[in-house]
Amino acid sequence: MAKAADVLTRRSFLATAAAAGLAASSALAVPHYARRHGSPVFTHGVQSGDVDTSSGMIWARADRPVEIAVEYSTTESFTNATRGPVLKAGRETDFAAKHLLTDLLPDQDIFYRLTASDPTSSHLVSEPIVGRFRTAPLRRRSVRFVWSGDTAGQGWGIDDVGMKTYSTMALHEPDFFIHSGDTIYADNPIPDEIRLRDGTIWKNRIVTDEKREVARTLDEYRGQWKYNLLDRHLLDFNAQVPTFFQWDDHEVLNNWSPSTDLRDDPRYPDKDVAVYAQRAMRAFQEMTPIRYFPTEPGRIFRKVAYGPLLDVFFVDLRSYRTANRGNELGLFGWRQAAWLKRELAASRATWKVIACDMPLGVVIWDDYGSKLGYEGVADGLNGPPAAREREIADLLSFMRDNAIRNVVWLTADIHYTAAHHYDPVRAKFKEFEPFWEFVSGPLHSGTYGPHPLDMTFGPEVRFMKASGGGVDSNLPPSAGLQFFGLVDIDGSSEQMTVRLMDREDRGLWSVTLDPAVTS
């Protein structure tokens, strides 16, 4: 949790960064006579991500091919700033660039400033744009972070209010944010307006060409990200809070897997879903501050070590899954499964958070109307582990057998918020220790009613808030059912407190967990 001095620094920085970000990201923010006429412009603010004790990724996008000068400092005034390498942003990345800042001090505010110049005309230089993040600690200081998922889905775009949940999360001054998937909705066009059931009209005040249709081309997938980054709440949030990204299905299209059949869908001219997945992955890597693995391009599963109290393990249930319909029902793939076991066993952090893009015990069908196929983990049979449940059973028994404790699962995907407690006493499968799974979202999408639970791992709902389901499905953000989760780890007691929150910053439910003693 931030100290008083940190709070003052962050609040003053937010005001400065917001002004600079708006000036740099919108041609309408500064009168024509005050702009550097003809100079490059940063179009979508700045982002940071994957911050640990000594490094952090930064990102920005310009309006043309540019060279970007990087400066960073431990002071907001940029006194004694360090100059990084000059980044080149060209057409091959849609003028986006990112860079890993390294050799940083732990537990330190890092302010970064970017300036773009036109390589063909040295006098054409942009206004600078600034951002900040705080590196992870080496000492046992308190840590605070937020998580949620599901941004700009079901046609609910940027209205007069905008994506307010991001501003609400920023009020808590988190160390970082976990975006648990469905970061965009490439398969959900944004219309100009939607008629609500009460007869009123939802008006999307910003609609771009790329968002009027489903994404098919690489540029259209990139455009999904650029649309979200036109929201003022998200721009301000990104300037001050690092985001750790993972993905789910809507970054490509709904419930995609190798068995996705596009033959009768005229929206997609190429009928091979792998073509769209490849384009979506490239856009995801280009448009987010996720770390790049040179030996495994496109890899999303990874660990972010955030000091002695916390390791975060990001899993990818989408890239390696087998067909949603068929006999070979895998999710992790052997390489990711081996990595997760190895890293969990090696972790010495008090808490191990598994950031998972889908909940474990919630029944999610590939075709929900006909109850066919498996989109999620649970098979709906309430019996011993079968199909995809076998992978989770293997992982849970591995953690028990190797005394890997203090593991908490955080997820989103189902468009409501809930707290699930899993216990072998209630389960068909007994070979594991009790654990918690917390669900949050949506950030700015439709809200839906609850799904049934499968009892293979013995889940019990300790809290849930959702729409009523049925005719009360796909409620707009204005209905008040947009959610995020807030996690505090106390530096002294090492207790973890999880709170489920709504867009208006109302605390809905909370629990404080004591860390188990580990050898």
Side-chain angles (χ1 to χ4, degrees):
M1 197 178 304
K3 297 179 180 179
D6 293 334
V7 170
L8 292 175
T9 300
R10 294 183 187 189
R11 287 176 180 165
S12 65
F13 171 79
L14 176 57
T16 304
L22 286 174
S25 64
S26 172
L28 299 177
V30 180
H32 177 78
Y33 59 80
R35 298 199 304 270
R36 302 182 184 186
H37 182 63
S39 294
V41 172
F42 287 109
T43 58
H44 295 86
V46 291
Q47 300 181 76
S48 64
D50 286 10
V51 173
D52 59 19
T53 56
S54 62
S55 64
M57 187 72 80
I58 58 174
W59 176 99
R61 180 185 180 275
D63 65 339
R64 69 187 76 175
V66 294
E67 295 179 344
I68 301 175
V70 178
E71 301 173 275
Y72 56 99
S73 174
T74 57
T75 63
E76 192 174 350
S77 64
F78 286 88
T79 303
N80 298 321
T82 299
R83 291 187 179 274
V86 174
L87 311 180
K88 295 184 182 298
R91 295 186 185 279
E92 68 279 3
T93 60
D94 195 30
F95 316 129
K98 59 184 181 181
H99 175 67
L100 185 68
L101 300 180
T102 58
D103 299 321
L104 305 177
L105 294 173
D107 202 13
Q108 179 67 59
D109 278 315
I110 302 298
F111 301 89
Y112 58 96
R113 181 166 61 194
L114 309 177
T115 307
S117 60
D118 190 320
T120 65
S121 301
S122 59
H123 68 284
L124 295 178
V125 180
S126 74
E127 296 285 352
I129 190 167
V130 297
R132 70 160 296 280
F133 61 84
R134 190 173 187 87
T135 51
L138 287 176
R139 60 189 174 92
R140 293 182 180 274
R141 75 144 162 95
S142 297
V143 174
R144 167 175 288 182
F145 66 95
V146 288
W147 93 94
S148 190
D150 317 307
T151 301
Q154 292 74 53
W156 310 112
I158 303 171
D159 64 332
D160 285 332
V161 174
M163 300 179 186
K164 183 182 176 181
T165 311
Y166 284 100
S167 288
T168 306
M169 292 191 298
L171 293 174
H172 293 276
E173 298 170 347
D175 288 297
F176 59 88
F177 166 53
I178 296 174
H179 201 312
S180 301
D182 291 342
T183 49
I184 58 169
Y185 278 75
D187 57 333
N188 284 191
I190 298 287
D192 291 303
E193 58 183 42
I194 301 172
R195 182 173 293 277
L196 304 180
R197 284 191 291 274
D198 64 3
T200 60
I201 301 294
W202 169 283
K203 293 183 181 293
N204 289 311
R205 295 300 185 184
I206 301 176
V207 184
T208 60
D209 289 342
E210 295 96 336
K211 284 301 298 184
R212 294 188 185 277
E213 302 288 343
V214 300
R216 290 154 294 213
T217 67
L218 175 59
D219 282 343
E220 288 170 342
Y221 278 107
R222 289 164 169 164
Q224 311 299 306
W225 293 94
K226 289 186 283 189
Y227 177 79
N228 289 2
L229 291 169
L230 295 175
D231 179 76
R232 58 188 172 87
H233 302 287
L234 181 52
L235 282 172
D236 290 349
F237 184 86
N238 285 344
Q240 60 173 324
V241 181
T243 296
F244 301 171
F245 282 96
Q246 61 189 143
W247 77 343
D248 193 25
D249 57 332
H250 288 285
E251 286 81 359
V252 182
L253 56 89
N254 186 46
N255 290 5
W256 73 275
S257 79
S259 61
T260 296
D261 188 352
L262 298 174
R263 287 176 296 180
D264 297 326
D265 193 335
R267 301 174 302 170
Y268 296 97
D270 196 306
K271 302 307 176 182
D272 183 359
V273 71
V275 170
Y276 303 108
Q278 183 181 36
R279 293 168 184 166
M281 172 60 80
R282 178 172 171 179
F284 181 90
Q285 294 287 335
E286 289 175 346
M287 299 300 291
T288 67
I290 187 173
R291 289 193 184 228
Y292 178 73
F293 296 89
T295 59
E296 297 179 66
R299 175 176 151 183
I300 291 174
F301 72 84
R302 65 202 187 281
K303 182 185 84 170
V304 176
Y306 207 83
L309 296 181
L310 177 65
D311 281 342
V312 185
F313 302 86
F314 292 87
V315 298
D316 178 359
L317 301 189
R318 190 59 54 178
S319 301
Y320 312 100
R321 68 168 53 205
T322 54
N324 283 352
R325 305 190 192 192
N327 297 320
E328 297 294 329
L329 294 168
L331 280 176
F332 286 131
W334 70 267
R335 189 184 303 275
Q336 181 177 199
W339 164 84
L340 184 56
K341 288 180 180 179
R342 182 175 66 250
E343 293 295 336
L344 282 168
S347 174
R348 295 297 174 262
T350 303
W351 292 98
K352 294 94 175 159
V353 165
I354 299 179
C356 188
D357 38 305
M358 302 189 75
L360 302 182
V362 175
V363 180
I364 307 172
W365 305 103
D366 186 47
D367 179 347
Y368 202 82
S370 303
K371 296 185 178 180
L372 294 175
Y374 300 97
E375 165 63 3
V377 174
D379 63 10
L381 299 177
N382 298 297
R388 290 174 172 161
E389 294 168 336
R390 294 192 185 101
E391 287 183 298
I392 301 301
D394 179 61
L395 177 62
L396 295 178
S397 60
F398 173 84
M399 290 192 289
R400 184 204 63 176
D401 295 345
N402 289 273
I404 301 170
R405 299 188 172 92
N406 303 325
V407 177
V408 172
W409 295 70
L410 300 182
T411 187
D413 181 64
I414 52 178
H415 293 243
Y416 61 87
T417 190
H420 299 148
H421 185 259
Y422 292 77
D423 196 312
V425 172
R426 297 185 294 266
K428 296 296 183 181
F429 176 73
K430 306 290 186 181
E431 308 303 314
F432 69 98
E433 293 184 345
F435 66 93
W436 284 91
E437 171 189 77
F438 300 103
V439 187
S440 199
L443 280 159
H444 190 81
S445 294
T447 312
Y448 289 85
H451 292 267
L453 295 180
D454 183 295
M455 294 307 296
T456 298
F457 303 118
E460 179 179 73
V461 177
R462 296 291 179 87
F463 175 81
M464 179 184 65
K465 189 167 185 178
S467 76
V471 296
D472 287 326
S473 295
N474 193 18
L475 297 183
S478 55
L481 297 174
Q482 307 292 293
F483 306 111
F484 68 96
L486 177 63
V487 180
D488 281 297
I489 303 175
D490 185 85
S492 299
S493 67
E494 301 184 45
Q495 291 176 315
M496 173 185 283
T497 298
V498 180
R499 288 183 277 172
L500 302 180
M501 313 288 292
D502 70 10
R503 179 166 98 160
E504 301 306 319
D505 208 28
R506 289 184 288 256
L508 307 174
W509 182 87
S510 69
V511 65
T512 296
L513 309 177
D514 294 316
V517 177
T518 57
S519 57

